Amino acid sequence: MRHWLLKSEPDEFSIDDLAAAKGRKVAWFGVRNYQARNYMRDEMQVGDPAFFYHSSCPEPGIAGIVEVSKAAFPDATQFDAASKYHDPKATRAAPRWFNVEVRLVEKTRLVPLAELRADPALATLRILQRGNRLSITPVEPAEWSRICRLAGSRAR
DNA sequence: GCCAACGTTGGC
DNA sequence: GCCAACGTTGGC
């Protein structure tokens, strides 16, 4: 089992949107980066926990905890000509983009980016590294525990 | 809106 | 396969 961090712009899809979704589940659609896709397609397993991170917003930070509820399958939006995630080079026979499904485990207090940065125990956290833009990154077990503690979560 | 950093594209 | 140009990300 591995731990992950998933970024989402709350204007697009927030933790409250996930809480309001049917079954509190959603396909993690719209990822159009090969490395992030490969994490979903090749490494994420059902039951893996992940932080839900709000990016590109007034208060960036960790907003909650989700878990992988379904292994990777083709991202439906790549086939949808009306979607901004449409990919004309993708076909149903040869999909390019995959997504897992995630389920909300717990909405936590918002742990601001500045608080993550200020914590020496999180110096190696991927999203804090210079130039990092990847929307899906692995989280080390010690980092996971530390952030759970900061967030006031019972999860470990 | 700025800008650093990075990924992708496409000509050669 | 190289690499310049371009587009995107995301914090500030």
Side-chain angles (χ1 to χ4, degrees):
Chain A
M1 181 190 76
R2 297 183 74 178
H3 300 87
W4 305 94
L5 184 147
L6 308 180
K7 291 186 197 173
S8 184
E9 301 186 16
D11 285 351
E12 298 288 327
F13 192 82
S14 72
I15 190 118
D16 290 326
D17 293 326
L18 178 55
K22 185 182 176 188
R24 308 216 297 177
K25 295 175 180 176
V26 72
W28 204 254
F29 64 91
V31 171
R32 294 295 181 267
N33 169 282
Y34 289 106
Q35 197 177 346
R37 178 204 68 181
N38 293 347
Y39 279 142
M40 285 200 282
R41 190 189 61 187
D42 305 334
E43 300 195 38
M44 293 176 80
Q45 298 180 359
V46 171
D48 280 3
F51 292 120
F52 191 116
Y53 178 89
H54 282 173
S55 66
S56 294
C57 59
E59 280 193 296
I62 304 254
I65 293 171
V66 300
E67 73 174 14
V68 177
S69 51
K70 193 174 173 186
F73 55 97
D75 179 335
T77 61
Q78 72 192 301
F79 309 123
D80 179 0
S83 168
K84 70 173 181 177
Y85 298 116
H86 179 238
D87 184 345
K89 293 181 180 170
T91 65
R92 291 186 187 273
R96 255 195 192 190
W97 305 110
F98 291 81
N99 52 208
V100 296
E101 179 195 77
V102 301
R103 179 181 68 81
L104 180 63
V105 173
E106 179 184 5
K107 182 180 172 180
T108 64
R109 87 172 173 94
L110 190 112
V111 183
L113 177 59
E115 193 172 330
L116 300 174
R117 279 200 193 286
D119 191 333
L122 298 176
T124 57
L125 191 68
R126 285 280 292 275
I127 58 158
L128 303 183
Q129 305 312 305
R130 179 182 184 80
N132 171 79
R133 300 188 316 178
L134 204 55
S135 67
I136 298 180
T137 50
V139 173
E140 296 305 314
E143 297 165 345
W144 178 268
S145 297
R146 180 63 183 158
I147 295 170
C148 283
R149 228 162 242 117
L150 291 177
S153 166
R154 288 176 301 282
R156 291 292 183 270

